[in-house]
């Protein structure tokens, strides 16, 4: 049986190399170790990172933003194998944990004896981790209801007594692990009908624990519900139980540690507070700027549309329980707001969004602005975006922001965000429920902090390759589709059918370029189209220039200009003439030619503008990508 | 996989388990030859091996192992049976 996955965390192929570099660096820093923990680690990787952590930091590092935690692990069976996962899960959240385990089976004596090693350890948090047999054993299968009821009451009273001892004698917060349902059923689906069933007793005990824990202010570590999601076989291996009394399989130890670390963070008030949402292909299917309110996939009974509705429902429910929502989208603001204002299937309303940022700045800068506007720390933000480029950029520039590895399938978005446990809370206050209302007025956006992110080196790290080809039959369908669908990054919005595109291919005084962009995340496909034609006066007029917004901010425009210039030279032109024809949707490229160094030469009454650039004025430049024909 | 390939892959797992990139083992190596190879470490190794080779081992098969060579043979037999 495979280990339970932590799918929201990255799987970094370079992890082993990074780990090795850290092991060889005597002065390796805390933040490097936190970065290494931020990955979907298996058991051996977890143990390896934990060895380095303990060697490098036998004591908590100076100046930590979090309070170090002294955790006593009081179990009824083997728990030693859980410690590396606990320390590593805590490290993932920037927490330093020192663990303590009393001698095997000695926890009750240690709790009572003020001179014991447990008392000397002075724990901040006590975790009671009891196996199913310890919790529910000792009942005869033939026992009647009264006997079972007495066993249940006695077990709950024993737990309440332990909780009180830990709180009163040790002054520690208490975490109680629920019983893992590893016992074999005797009846089956109707197990509850057999009072003497140990499994039935365990189920009742877990219910009773939930009621009592809420009343006593004890935090539960619900391994039973987690195992119900992952499958009990992922959490428990009967062979290992018999081999070394490990009830929780070591394969599940990394996830177990993460679950516990969430509680430790929540006890310090360090759970995330704000969910920052991308829009296109995150809250709805498609690109609002190109597809329009009528064209996006949202609801309407299609599986894709319904999946986005479900994710919006989840976000809305989080908001109802006190999580702040924000929007961070690369879009014109009016386009970004349109579905919120006009789409009948939107579950989220503008009033649910505490901070709404839609512009063409890079996302790290916008996320900083959101944190500033809401006056919360960057480390309390979770950023959800379907685009791996944006996720990698935010992780790189803002490592303190949590960025889940969103699956390709929108139907899995809610599960992914939920499974990560970013918003773990132990209880819900009236203030939490009111928080949504506090943010109802969407604040005026403060001017964006002039964030200096080193974009250049990031772009280089993407290993981008721009492949260009002249128009050909193979690309024809995609070329026609892009010409007719692209609205935002489209200088002239001229629509051509297949026959017209073929004429460009056959015209010796014209060229058509199709550009494909690849990077280390994969192939972005055909992302830009340019059509140029030599005029009678010797100017090369750029008839069409369009690009997918997905690759904005990656200096594709500059590289494209160089390719256009090369084609113009081939045709014998002396200068380039570009044209901008404004539409309702292409305001984002109004300054396109001026940004590239063109000079305005004419504006007609309809607002169309023409720009010129001497070919001789284009200096060779270095590019962040390799450019090749192919 | 051949026994040589399995031994190379198993060596990788052991290096990771013991945090020692220089660790080398031969078919004759036993747990006693490797400092820290106790029953608890063996469980981690088994879990990694099952994950890496896509197999599931049984208690009595593990109890019979006497050397790295036995381990390689077991992995190979499991893979062929799968």
């Amino acid at each position: 049986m495979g280990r339970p996955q932590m799918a929201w965390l990255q799987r970094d192929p370079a992890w082993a190399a990074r780990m090795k570099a850290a092991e060889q660096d005597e002065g390796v820093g805390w933040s490097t170790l936190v970065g290494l923990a931020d990955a979907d680690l298996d058991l051996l990787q977890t143990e390896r990172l934990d060895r380095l952590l303990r060697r490098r930091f036998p004591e908590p590092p100076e100046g930590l933003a979090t309070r170090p935690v002294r955790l006593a692990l009081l179990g009824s069976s083997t728990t030693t194998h859980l410690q590396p996962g606990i320390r590593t899960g805590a490290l993932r959240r920037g927490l330093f944990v020192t663990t303590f385990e009393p001698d095997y089976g000695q926890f009750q004596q240690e709790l009572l004896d003020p001179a014991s090693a447990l008392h000397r350890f002075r724990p901040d948090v006590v975790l009671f981790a009891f196996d199913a047999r310890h919790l529910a054993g000792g009942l005869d299968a033939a026992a009647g209801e009264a006997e079972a009821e007495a066993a249940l009451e006695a077990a709950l009273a024993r737990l309440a007594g332990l909780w009180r001892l830990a709180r009163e004698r040790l002054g520690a917060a208490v975490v109680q692990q629920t019983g893992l349902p590893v016992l074999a059923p005797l009846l089956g689906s109707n197990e509850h009908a057999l009072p003497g069933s140990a499994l039935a007793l365990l189920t009742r005990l877990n219910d009773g624990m939930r009621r009592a824990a809420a009343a006593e202010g004890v935090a539960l570590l619900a391994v039973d519900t987690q195992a119900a999601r992952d499958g009990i076989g992922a959490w428990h291996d009967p062979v290992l139980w018999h081999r070394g009394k490990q009830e929780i399989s070591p394969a599940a130890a990394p996830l177990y540690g993460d679950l516990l670390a969430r509680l430790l963070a929540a006890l310090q008030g360090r759970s995330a507070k704000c969910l920052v949402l991308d829009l296109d292909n995150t809250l709805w299917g498609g690109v609002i700027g190109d597809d329009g309110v009528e064209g996006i996939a949202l609801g309407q009974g299609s599986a894709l549309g319904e999946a986005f509705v479900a994710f919006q429902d989840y976000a809305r429910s989080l908001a109802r329980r006190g999580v702040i929502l924000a929007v961070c989208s690369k879009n014109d603001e009016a386009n970004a707001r349109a579905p919120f204002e006009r789409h009948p299937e939107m579950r989220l309303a503008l009033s649910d969004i505490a901070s709404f940022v839609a512009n063409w700045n890079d996302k790290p800068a916008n996320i900083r602005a959101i944190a500033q506007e809401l006056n919360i720390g960057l480390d309390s933000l979770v950023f959800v975006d379907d685009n791996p480029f944006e996720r990698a950029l935010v992780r790189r520039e803002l490592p303190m922001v949590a960025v889940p590895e969103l699956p390709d399938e929108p139907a899995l978005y809610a599960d992914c965000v939920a499974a990560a446990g970013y918003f773990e809370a132990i209880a819900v206050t009236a203030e939490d429920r009111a928080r949504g209302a506090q943010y109802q007025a969407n604040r005026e956006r403060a001017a964006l902090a002039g964030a200096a992110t080193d974009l250049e080196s990031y772009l280089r790290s993407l290993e981008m390759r721009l492949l260009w080809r002249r128009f050909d039959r193979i690309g024809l369908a995609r070329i026609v589709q892009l010409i007719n669908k692209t609205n935002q990054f489209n200088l002239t919005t001229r629509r051509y059918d297949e026959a017209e595109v073929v004429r460009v291919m056959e015209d010796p005084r014209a060229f058509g370029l199709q550009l494909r962009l690849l990077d280390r995340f994969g192939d972005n496909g055909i992302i830009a189209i340019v059509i140029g034609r030599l005029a009678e006066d010797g100017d090369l007029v750029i008839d069409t220039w369009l690009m997918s917004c997905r690759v904005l901010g990656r200096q594709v425009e500059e590289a494209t200009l160089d390719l256009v210039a090369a084609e113009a030279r081939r045709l014998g032109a002396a200068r380039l003439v570009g044209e901008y024809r404004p539409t309702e949707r292409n305001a984002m490229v109004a300054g396109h030619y001026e940004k590239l160094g063109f000079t305005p030469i004419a504006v007609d009454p309809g607002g169309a503008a023409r720009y010129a650039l001497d070919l001789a004025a284009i200096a060779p430049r270095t590019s962040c990508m390799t450019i090749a024909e192919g | 996989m051949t026994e040589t390939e399995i031994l190379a892959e198993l060596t990788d797992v052991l290096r990771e388990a013991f945090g020692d990139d220089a660790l080398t083992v031969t078919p004759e190596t036993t747990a006693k030859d490797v400092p820290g190879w106790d029953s608890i470490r063996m469980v981690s190794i088994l879990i990694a091996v099952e994950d890496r080779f896509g197999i599931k081992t049984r208690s009595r098969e593990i109890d019979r192992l006497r050397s790295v060579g036995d381990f390689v043979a077991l992995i190979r037999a499991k893979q062929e049976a799968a």
Side-chain angles (χ1 to χ4, degrees), chain A residues 61-141:
Chain A
E62 298 280 330
L64 213 54
T66 54
R67 279 201 312 278
V69 177
R70 301 177 66 77
L71 172 74
L73 203 49
L74 307 187
S76 53
S77 52
T78 307
T79 49
T80 316
H81 63 297
L82 302 173
Q83 291 195 24
I86 293 171
R87 286 186 290 257
T88 310
L91 177 64
R92 194 171 287 132
R93 286 161 184 76
L95 288 175
F96 184 93
V97 171
T98 312
T99 52
F100 169 84
E101 268 185 59
D103 287 339
Y104 196 79
Q106 297 290 306
F107 69 88
Q108 242 150 341
Q109 297 87 315
E110 296 253 339
L111 265 176
L112 289 164
D113 175 7
S116 68
L118 173 62
H119 280 257
R120 288 199 305 278
F121 175 70
R122 291 177 291 104
D124 308 305
V125 180
V126 169
L127 166 65
F128 291 109
F130 300 141
D131 61 85
R133 291 163 182 84
H134 177 89
L135 283 168
L139 192 62
D140 190 302

Side-chain angles (χ1 to χ4, degrees), chain A residues 1-3 15 20 23-24 42-45 47-48 51 78 80-81 237 239-240 243 246 249-251, chain B residues 13 15-19 21 40-41 43-48 50-52 56-60 62-63:
Chain A
M1 190 66 70
R3 72 189 168 95
W15 190 87
K20 194 166 177 181
E23 283 166 341
Q24 286 165 352
D42 67 17
L43 177 66
L44 288 186
Q45 291 170 321
E47 291 178 344
R48 185 171 171 188
R51 279 197 296 272
T78 307
T80 316
H81 63 297
D237 183 340
V239 174
L240 296 180
R243 186 176 291 279
Q246 296 172 326
S249 162
Chain B
V13 171
R15 283 178 178 172
E16 205 166 336
F18 294 103
D21 285 339
I40 292 184
R41 189 57 59 82
V43 170
S44 304
I45 292 166
L46 273 176
I47 283 168
E50 291 185 350
D51 204 33
R52 194 77 71 91
K56 182 83 190 112
T57 58
R58 298 197 192 134
S59 332
R60 60 173 75 83
I62 299 307
D63 291 342

Side-chain angles (χ1 to χ4, degrees), chain A residues 297-580:
Chain A
L298 185 63
Q300 297 127 344
S302 84
L304 186 67
E306 294 300 328
F308 285 107
V309 167
F311 183 52
Q312 288 198 18
D313 272 333
Y314 181 69
R316 191 165 174 269
S317 299
L318 281 177
R320 293 292 179 273
R321 77 100 156 135
V323 172
I324 305 166
L325 300 185
V327 160
C328 177
S329 165
K330 275 192 175 166
N331 259 311
D332 279 337
E333 176 144 3
N335 283 341
R337 287 176 177 267
F340 289 88
E341 288 160 354
R342 301 208 303 274
H343 199 293
E345 304 255 20
M346 281 292 290
R347 291 296 200 269
L348 290 169
L350 283 173
S351 58
D352 294 319
I353 312 295
S355 174
F356 194 103
V357 177
N359 57 40
W360 300 98
N361 296 335
D362 68 85
K363 294 209 171 184
N366 282 337
I367 289 171
R368 277 204 193 92
I370 287 169
Q372 204 166 26
E373 183 187 340
L374 299 174
N375 197 22
I376 53 179
L378 282 163
D379 57 2
S380 55
L381 301 184
V382 175
F383 171 62
V384 173
D385 195 315
D386 68 295
N387 186 336
F389 168 84
E390 303 293 358
R391 293 201 298 263
L393 184 61
V394 170
R395 280 195 192 111
R396 205 185 98 118
E397 298 296 329
L398 305 173
M400 65 296 267
V401 173
V403 183
E405 207 44 22
L406 213 58
D408 282 338
E409 169 57 64
L412 304 177
Y413 285 179
D415 273 347
C416 173
V417 172
Y422 298 120
F423 302 105
E424 188 80 30
I426 290 160
V428 178
T429 64
E431 198 189 358
D432 290 332
R433 291 203 187 88
R435 191 168 298 126
Q438 284 168 20
Y439 282 96
Q440 259 194 1
N442 188 7
R443 314 252 139 90
E444 283 295 303
R445 243 178 307 143
L448 298 192
T453 69
D454 177 12
L455 200 57
E456 180 90 10
S457 68
Y458 174 64
L459 291 175
R460 287 193 182 283
S461 75
L462 286 176
E463 297 154 21
M464 290 187 285
R465 284 192 298 142
L466 186 68
L467 299 182
W468 66 273
R469 285 170 86 91
R470 301 204 176 89
F471 284 1
D472 55 11
R473 293 274 169 191
I474 302 168
L476 194 56
R478 176 66 178 149
I479 293 165
V480 171
Q481 186 192 38
L482 277 171
I483 285 175
N484 288 287
K485 179 182 144 197
T486 309
N487 293 316
Q488 298 193 93
F489 195 113
N490 195 337
L491 274 298
T492 54
T493 322
R494 293 194 174 103
R495 311 297 197 191
Y496 295 126
D497 63 20
E498 216 172 280
E500 288 163 319
V501 172
V502 170
R503 273 201 289 282
V504 173
M505 286 160 57
E506 290 168 348
D507 183 349
R509 293 172 63 84
F511 68 84
L513 290 178
Q514 44 177 329
L515 274 56
R516 175 184 290 271
L517 185 70
L518 293 85
D519 59 32
R520 64 183 167 94
F521 300 115
D523 186 350
N524 295 283
I526 305 288
I527 47 86
I529 298 287
V530 183
I531 298 173
R533 193 172 280 110
L534 196 61
E536 294 301 326
D537 57 8
D539 285 343
L540 189 289
V541 179
I542 302 168
D543 172 273
T544 294
W545 185 335
L546 59 87
M547 192 175 87
S548 159
C549 291
R550 205 173 156 80
V551 299
L552 268 181
R554 298 167 70 162
Q555 301 183 0
V556 174
E557 298 92 317
E558 288 80 357
T560 306
L561 175 63
D562 291 346
L563 291 169
V564 169
E567 287 294 271
R569 288 190 191 103
R570 181 175 64 83
L571 294 174
R575 66 171 191 169
L576 298 176
V577 172
E579 208 183 336
Y580 168 64

